[in-house]
Each structure stands twice: as structure tokens, then as C-alpha cells.
Amino acid sequence: MKVLVTGGAGYIGSHCVKVLLDKGYEVVVVDNLETGYKDAVDSKAKLYIGDIADESLMDRVFSENQVLGVIHFAAFSLVGESMTNPYKYYENNVAKTNRLLESMVKHNVKNIVFSSTAATYGEPEKTPIVETDRQLPTNVYGQTKLAMEQMISWYGKIYGINHVALRYFNVAGAIQDGSIGEAHNPETHLIPIILQVANGKREKLNVFGDDYQTKDGSCIRDYIHVLDLCDAHVLALEYLLNGNSSGVFNLGSGEGFSVFEMVEAARKITGHPIPLEIASRRAGDPAILIASSKKARQVLKWNPTRENIEVMIQDAWTWEKNKRY
Ligand code: UFG
């Protein structure tokens, strides 16, 4: 059974390719390598280097492969950049997803699992966040992901494309052997930055605000291991292939950790003192983001097994020390 993974050369996409292959799926990847890495794509997958918006490429992909479902990761995902270059985000995330959906319609591909985000909620009204809570993004990145969710849902109503949107919280960790991992350029995410300090690549971590209304003043996030996340994508795809109705699911652990707690855990794992400096708040950062993933656990039968942040940091640390790209 063939699955198309868009953005399969990126951090989450490349892990999902491996998980799909492990579960016996044949995997086709389309990635333009703008933010992804060819080396991240498992050699057992069939890689097409190019753009999901390129109709002739997608004609080739869909006619050369009997694709039963698409897992759509290809997107830009830097919140800060989206606020200085909104065009880039609307064009790449929204317009290109529109082209992908048109190609799916043309080739009668009926199932899509979409990589959405907690950023579609914006500042939460309450904790933990459930799927029916208000979606009011506070940045362009979150807004484009919300627009993509809605577009996919309309294509579902109009053309019968079955869809699952997975709204993830903070993705972390890497495959245990350290062969692939998180590599953004520039890196803005907390765990890789902490580990770059531990690895001598940065002098210190800037903590963006210690005056939030939280237990220690720093922001609280809900971290989820990338492999648990990928399991949820496969379950969501199988849920659609089994004829279940389209839906939306949060993916998180339901537990929050502060920036200081993450640093403390990383100190234990790396043995490095990880110096800190308190910096001003980062615009658009909510104080607390914690997911309720009850629905994914009940409906998709999702059973994450790597919820311990020390496991996530340990796996990210193995990658940081082995990094090939
Ligand atoms: N942080 C620091 N210093 C840093 C980097 C981050 O203090 O150098 C803090 C942030 O202020 C935040 C926390 O660490 O409080 C986590 O920050 P990340 O950048 O790692 O993650 P975000 O919570 O900002 O964003 C993540 C994803 C986004 C997604 C969002 C959904 O990276 O793609 O979750 O809430 F949109």
C-alpha cells in the first residue's frame, strides 16, 4: 500500500517515513528540499525532488504510484519569520496546499492526514485545550495552518476527500539511533538550542521571559516525542482507510514543563551546566500550552510510549552529537 509523504525530508516527515516503512507501507516522498535534507530520507522510500505545487510533477507522482493516502507535512513553520514575511507563508503553506488538493482531486486520491498545530488556537481560553476550543491564531504561521485545515475540510465536503488534521503541541526528540533529527536553519526551538549550548555550539540559552503567571515564571509547553507523533499519523491514516469519518485531533502529553524544567532535565542528561540569561518575552508566546489528547487516545487508539521528557531530551542529545546535516 503506497503512501505519499509531502515534506518527507523534514524533521517530522523523515521520521514518519521510517515509521511507515517499519509498518510495511511503501512510501513516496515529495520534497523541494528548501528546508528538508535529502540525507534524511530513508533510502527505501521513493524520493521525488520538487514542489507539491508543480502540477506536472504531481501528475507524474500520482500516475507512477497508486497512492492511497497523503500525509501532508510540507510547510514553513517558523513563527517569527511568518511575522516578517507573511507572503512567504501564505504562498508556500496555503497556496501550495491548494495545488496539492487539486492534484489529489484530479487523480482521485481520497485520503489526507494533515500536519496542523496548536498555534491554530492562539492564546488558550482554558487548559488543557480540547479540539472544540476557539481557534484564534496570534501569528501568521498559525493562521496559515488554520486556513489549510479549513481548505482541506471544504475539499472534503465538495470532492469527498477524507481528512484528519492533527494539531500538535511541542514536538521533540529523534529516532534513538541518532540517524535523523531536528535541523532547522536558523534554529529557534528550545530543546535543540539548549543542546547546542551543551555541545559547545552556543554560549548560553536566552530564556524568553521569567515573569509569566506560571509556577516558576517561564513558559510552559506540552512536549511530545516525534516517534509517538508519527505513530498517530499512521493510526490516523488507517482510521481513514477503514472508512471512518473525517476529524481533528490534538496530539500532546497532557502535561506541561517550564523552560527552566527543560533546562534542568538537559543538565542532568548532558552533564553540562547550560548557562542561562533571562531575556525579554518573545512576541506571541502564550504562557501555557497544554493539550488534551483524550480524543486521539480514545478514537485513534493512540498510545504514546515516550512521554518522559528525559527520553525526548536524551534522543535529541544523541542526534545533536551525531548530526550529519
Ligand atoms: N524559548 C526560550 N528560549 C529559546 C527558545 C525558546 O526561552 O531560545 C522558549 C519559548 O519562549 C517557549 C518555549 O521555549 O516558551 C518553547 O519554544 P519553542 O520555540 O521550542 O516552541 P513554541 O512553543 O514556540 O512553538 C512550537 C512549534 C511551533 C508551533 C507551536 C505551537 O515550534 O511550530 O509550538 O504552539 F506553532
Side-chain angles (χ1 to χ4, degrees):
M1 195 181 300
K2 277 196 186 171
V3 179
L4 167 63
V5 179
T6 74
Y11 167 44
I12 304 172
S14 60
H15 282 84
C16 202
V17 167
K18 281 195 187 286
V19 170
L20 283 162
L21 289 166
D22 278 353
K23 291 189 190 290
Y25 289 93
E26 287 179 82
V27 182
V28 178
V29 171
V30 174
D31 199 303
N32 62 14
L33 301 183
E34 260 187 65
T35 55
Y37 301 86
K38 197 173 170 198
D39 283 355
V41 182
D42 192 292
S43 58
K44 291 191 283 303
K46 189 166 168 187
L47 171 63
Y48 291 82
I49 298 173
D51 211 292
I52 55 166
D54 177 346
E55 189 180 349
S56 59
L57 171 72
M58 297 312 290
D59 282 346
R60 198 151 70 78
V61 169
F62 286 128
S63 46
E64 288 177 2
N65 304 280
Q66 185 75 35
V67 170
L68 276 183
V70 176
I71 304 187
H72 180 33
F73 293 105
F76 290 143
S77 63
L78 300 179
V79 171
E81 185 187 51
S82 77
M83 297 302 280
T84 54
N85 193 350
Y87 172 80
K88 183 173 171 180
Y89 279 70
Y90 278 104
E91 172 62 20
N92 187 68
N93 294 2
V94 182
K96 290 187 179 182
T97 294
N98 197 195
R99 303 303 310 152
L100 170 69
L101 290 168
E102 284 294 317
S103 291
M104 288 177 65
V105 170
K106 185 171 170 185
H107 294 274
N108 205 25
V109 179
K110 291 287 189 199
N111 300 293
I112 184 166
V113 175
F114 169 56
S115 148
S116 189
T117 169
T120 61
Y121 293 110
E123 189 70 49
E125 292 171 290
K126 59 174 175 53
T127 291
I129 299 171
V130 295
E131 289 82 353
T132 48
D133 283 354
R134 177 193 69 186
Q135 286 179 288
L136 198 59
T138 52
N139 54 62
V140 171
Y141 164 67
Q143 186 63 52
T144 62
K145 286 275 177 167
L146 179 55
M148 292 154 88
E149 269 193 17
Q150 292 167 337
M151 188 196 300
I152 291 169
S153 167
W154 281 112
Y155 271 72
K157 288 189 179 84
I158 296 164
Y159 297 110
I161 292 181
N162 309 305
H163 51 95
V164 164
L166 299 174
R167 295 185 189 140
Y168 340 141
F169 285 64
N170 289 60
V171 186
I175 199 162
Q176 253 184 327
D177 65 9
S179 58
I180 55 173
E182 193 165 4
H184 299 106
N185 189 15
E187 190 52 78
T188 63
H189 295 95
L190 180 65
I191 296 175
I193 288 179
I194 291 175
L195 296 177
Q196 285 174 5
V197 176
N199 208 13
K201 294 182 183 162
R202 291 178 191 247
E203 247 175 68
K204 58 178 177 359
L205 170 77
N206 288 312
V207 176
F208 298 142
D210 67 347
D211 55 353
Y212 285 95
Q213 293 293 321
T214 58
K215 53 188 166 189
D216 61 18
S218 66
C219 286
I220 292 180
R221 293 290 179 271
D222 179 337
Y223 294 87
I224 168 178
H225 196 291
V226 65
L227 290 177
D228 283 338
L229 188 81
C230 293
D231 285 344
H233 286 72
V234 179
L235 290 169
L237 180 69
E238 290 168 349
Y239 166 88
L240 290 178
L241 294 174
N242 288 333
N244 294 295
S245 51
S246 298
V248 173
F249 301 91
N250 284 342
L251 298 178
S253 70
E255 213 184 329
F257 293 92
S258 72
V259 173
F260 291 127
E261 286 172 332
M262 296 304 282
V263 172
E264 215 30 68
R267 283 179 177 146
K268 238 166 67 189
I269 287 159
T270 62
H272 189 282
I274 310 177
L276 305 178
E277 191 169 302
I278 307 302
S280 49
R281 291 182 177 195
R282 189 169 67 176
D285 267 350
I288 303 177
L289 280 178
I290 298 175
S292 163
S293 304
K294 218 166 144 187
K295 189 178 167 196
R297 287 164 206 258
Q298 280 174 355
V299 178
L300 299 179
K301 312 274 181 276
W302 181 50
N303 182 24
T305 56
R306 305 167 187 88
E307 291 186 293
N308 185 327
I309 52 159
E310 293 185 4
V311 172
M312 297 182 215
I313 295 172
Q314 177 59 60
D315 291 346
W317 181 227
T318 306
W319 161 245
E320 170 58 35
K321 288 183 293 180
N322 282 310
K323 226 167 173 173
R324 306 175 288 131
Y325 51 81

